Amino acid sequence: MCSFLPPPPRPPGFVRRLKLLTAKSQTLRGQPVKNAPKPCHYRHAAYTDSLVSTIREAPQLKTLYDVWQNSVTKYADNDFLGHRPFNTVAQTYGGYTWETFTQVNQRVNAFGSGIMHLNEVILGNEQLNRWSLGIWSQGRPEWFITEMGCNCYNLISVALYDTLGHDAVEYIVNHADIQIVVASANHIASLLENAEKLPTLKAIVSMDSLHDTVPVPGATSAAQVLRAWGAEKGIKVYDFDEIESLGAEFPRKHLPPHEDEVASLCYTSGTTGQPKGAMLTHKNFIATIGTNREGMNLTKDDVLISFLPLAHIMGRVIDCCLMYAGGKIGYFRGDILLLLEDVAELRPTFFPAVPRLLNRIYAKLVSATIEAPGLVGALARRGVAAKMANLAAGKGVNHPLWDRLLFNKIKMALGGRVQVILTGSAPIAKEVLSFLRIAFGCVVLEGYGSTEGMATATITMADEYIPGHIGCPRPSCELKLVDVPDMKYFSTDKPYPRGEICIRGDTVFKGYFKDDNNTKATIDSQGWLATGDIGFVDSRGCFTIIDRKKNIFKLAQGEYIAPEKIENVLGARCNLVLQIYVHGDSLESTLVSVLIPEPETFLPFANAIVGSSVTAGDAEGISKLCKEPKVILAVTKELEKAGKAGSLRGFEMVKRVHLTTDAFTVDNGMITPTFKVRRPQVAEYFQEQIKAMYEDIRNTSPVAKL
């Protein structure tokens, strides 16, 4: 099972966290640190002499291909990939069915050989390797098989986001020169509809079977329609089984990649401009697996619930770590609303998640425990208080009495076996983090990183009990803080150094595909990756994100505003928020906001204020609640409380809020596929409401009344 290994012996005098590197005491990556240590460089205290770049117990493994061959040999008959098959007759999902490492490897070889035969013989391409293959679906066994087939034949996998809009898909397919896309069946029609805009696309492989039965003699099946449509567009359409059969008939020898070659293009969805293709090498992946082995020891007995998008690097890294360890990966059914049912069926030991999901779990648990009426609520409040006191005192997350009376039942919400919860990709509130630690009685880690750095920069310690930071540097990288004079952040600040966080190490990407300008703007000549995040380092050596360098603006009085930081604070600390956009500009002295309420918490909150009984299915009723002045005022006060809890300054508080059910979606262009707000688009869509809020502020201000 998942456990935590002690790190290598630490330098004398360093109990935990990290060591500040200076010119007098250390060298960096074999090169002396010249002049004074400004900006300061930081490493994990146990790895000050050298950074992790390989898997320590298996340094001979240089590529993902090597890792896979190693795991197939060591864990041949162990179950590896699992999914819940759908019964088309009963219209229900069954329990998890599994394929062993050997069975998956047979499919990898067959599919990889089939794709190579399709490319060379059927499509007539002369380039045998290093070409890009698109993958477009949610996580499932075929996703892994496709990607590992790429690694066996030195191809470049290109993940398409399952929620990408047509424009982004079109751009990526053309930009990466993709001729073959492997996709779930629900995306095939979209590709064919836009075929004229995808001149490089020559073939589509469906992950779902196209061998459906014709229901009526003489009728045309959906599969026949897709194939005929593809033929009309000059695009061949196959299904996964057909490619595997081709590979079995025409097997190919592997073409192992080199460690410095690109394994995958991972496109980042920016809030402005076109996506950028981050070139991630095999060396990047190996360094990331290696650094994750330092401390957290996943084993062949571990079980992972895989639901994070595999188009995002965090999900890919976690699956790779389980692959190396010989553990089991169980994919969810594809519906995030039914995820906890999959969790109950799978009973994972490792539960990686994102704050948005953990916030929902937290809200439900709080409602069922400390906010419950009567004896249940009274007991829960005592139990939570006792365990929180133990946690704050550094006595751990378990309690012999209260676990038996209450918390062992709560653990069953995640299947009862979870030993590690990992969160990342966005900030999580202190109170949520602490509650999850004592509620599930397990290790809860918070990590920080980016696509360009393999989602690997910092992480909290296993025994951490103080929330509100992102931990210390990972063993594979070093960090530094760079001054940002415009925002008044300096590495010489007291009591703690502050500045833009920059990262260096073998987990840092090679650059952006066909984009030298953005590459040079992101990685400097010394290999430092600029993150755009502003942070500080406390006395224990823990980093905390406090601001964002991009998307900043000045208010009329000259104060700098980082709206993303404010949105993160309010979203993490106010359970009424599903989505929020904070608006301001240099012509105004205050901030306003657009908020889409979280139905589960907003409805009882608003109903209690106006004395109504609107239900979740009553769209018109919810819309009316959003327009109620009393409800709007109450929500504004809740945001103010959240802002104070998150230590926002007075000028960072939102003074008005517009409540709406018009959610920000990828389809309407107001968020990216990674749920980042597209600020110009949201501002334009809600321009009348924003104008009205500022008008209301002016009309009700003391100056206006004179």
Side-chain angles (χ1 to χ4, degrees), residues 599-635:
E600 289 187 16
T601 53
F602 174 71
L603 284 179
F605 174 84
N607 281 332
I609 292 172
V610 299
S612 59
S613 56
V614 177
T615 61
D618 184 359
E620 184 178 350
I622 297 174
S623 181
K624 287 182 179 179
L625 285 176
C626 289
K627 297 175 183 176
E628 284 283 348
K630 291 182 179 179
V631 173
I632 295 172
L633 179 60
V635 171

Side-chain angles (χ1 to χ4, degrees), residues 69 158 211 237 262 332 335-336 438 484 501 507 510 618 650 673:
Q69 297 305 313
V158 183
H211 294 284
V237 179
V262 176
F332 82 130
D335 187 343
I336 196 68
I438 62 104
V484 187
I501 297 173
T507 51
K510 190 174 185 176
D618 184 359

Side-chain angles (χ1 to χ4, degrees), residues 375-659:
L375 182 60
V376 172
L379 286 173
R381 287 188 287 275
R382 289 187 62 185
V384 168
K387 293 197 71 174
M388 284 291 192
N390 274 0
L391 180 65
K395 297 180 180 179
V397 295
N398 297 307
H399 192 287
L401 173 63
W402 289 110
D403 284 348
R404 180 166 55 85
L405 292 178
L406 176 64
F407 293 98
N408 287 341
K409 296 177 183 178
I410 292 177
K411 292 177 184 178
M412 295 309 296
L414 295 182
R417 295 196 302 175
V418 169
Q419 297 185 27
V420 177
I421 296 173
L422 171 65
T423 180
S425 81
I428 188 167
K430 297 179 183 179
E431 55 270 25
V432 175
L433 203 63
S434 295
F435 186 88
L436 292 175
R437 282 174 173 150
I438 62 104
F440 292 108
C442 68
V443 172
V444 182
L445 304 173
E446 183 173 9
Y448 163 74
S450 65
T451 300
E452 293 84 353
M454 296 293 296
T456 305
T458 70
I459 200 166
T460 53
M461 294 288 190
D463 60 350
E464 184 59 79
Y465 59 93
I466 299 174
H469 60 86
I470 53 173
C472 65
R474 305 297 297 273
S476 60
C477 62
E478 56 195 354
L479 277 62
K480 71 174 180 178
L481 297 176
V482 176
D483 295 346
V484 187
D486 287 348
M487 300 177 72
K488 298 180 181 180
Y489 293 122
F490 299 96
S491 58
T492 54
D493 285 345
K494 304 295 181 182
Y496 305 129
R498 302 187 301 174
E500 180 183 5
I501 297 173
C502 294
I503 307 166
R504 184 165 67 174
D506 281 341
T507 51
V508 172
F509 78 143
K510 190 174 185 176
Y512 294 116
F513 185 56
K514 298 180 182 178
D515 195 346
D516 289 341
N517 290 336
N518 274 313
T519 297
K520 292 175 181 177
T522 305
I523 309 176
D524 69 15
S525 59
Q526 295 180 324
W528 288 102
L529 168 68
T531 67
D533 292 315
I534 308 296
F536 73 83
V537 187
D538 66 19
S539 57
R540 299 191 307 154
C542 296
F543 282 74
T544 299
I545 304 295
I546 57 174
D547 220 330
R548 180 71 181 160
K549 188 176 179 181
K550 296 181 180 179
N551 293 325
I552 63 172
F553 55 83
K554 280 184 179 181
L555 291 176
Q557 66 270 34
E559 298 286 0
Y560 278 100
I561 296 292
E564 290 177 349
K565 179 195 78 170
I566 299 171
E567 289 159 358
N568 287 332
V569 167
L570 299 181
R573 288 172 172 76
C574 180
N575 67 358
L576 300 176
V577 176
L578 179 61
Q579 295 175 313
I580 190 167
Y581 163 74
V582 171
H583 182 88
D585 60 53
S586 58
L587 299 178
E588 303 289 349
S589 59
T590 55
L591 301 175
V592 297
S593 64
V594 176
L595 187 152
I596 291 84
E598 168 62 64
E600 289 187 16
T601 53
F602 174 71
L603 284 179
F605 174 84
N607 281 332
I609 292 172
V610 299
S612 59
S613 56
V614 177
T615 61
D618 184 359
E620 184 178 350
I622 297 174
S623 181
K624 287 182 179 179
L625 285 176
C626 289
K627 297 175 183 176
E628 284 283 348
K630 291 182 179 179
V631 173
I632 295 172
L633 179 60
V635 171
T636 305
K637 290 181 178 179
E638 291 299 312
L639 291 178
E640 183 179 355
K641 292 179 185 177
K644 290 179 179 178
S647 302
L648 294 183
R649 293 166 289 184
F651 60 84
E652 293 177 307
M653 297 289 188
V654 297
K655 301 304 180 182
R656 294 292 186 275
V657 59
H658 171 69
L659 301 180

Side-chain angles (χ1 to χ4, degrees), residues 55 61 63-76 78 80-81 99-109 144-145 147-149 151-152 254 286 289 319-320 322-324 326-327 329:
I55 303 170
L61 306 181
T63 67
L64 286 174
Y65 172 80
D66 295 340
V67 173
W68 174 241
Q69 297 305 313
N70 178 72
S71 293
V72 169
T73 301
K74 289 180 65 175
Y75 310 111
N78 291 15
F80 178 42
L81 299 183
E99 294 177 283
T100 65
F101 277 86
T102 295
Q103 290 170 328
V104 173
N105 189 48
Q106 290 170 348
R107 296 189 66 188
V108 166
N109 290 334
F144 179 91
I145 291 166
E147 182 180 35
M148 193 51 63
N151 293 328
C152 288
H254 291 170
I286 295 301
I289 295 172
D319 281 14
C320 286
L322 262 291
M323 171 187 70
Y324 172 76
I329 300 174

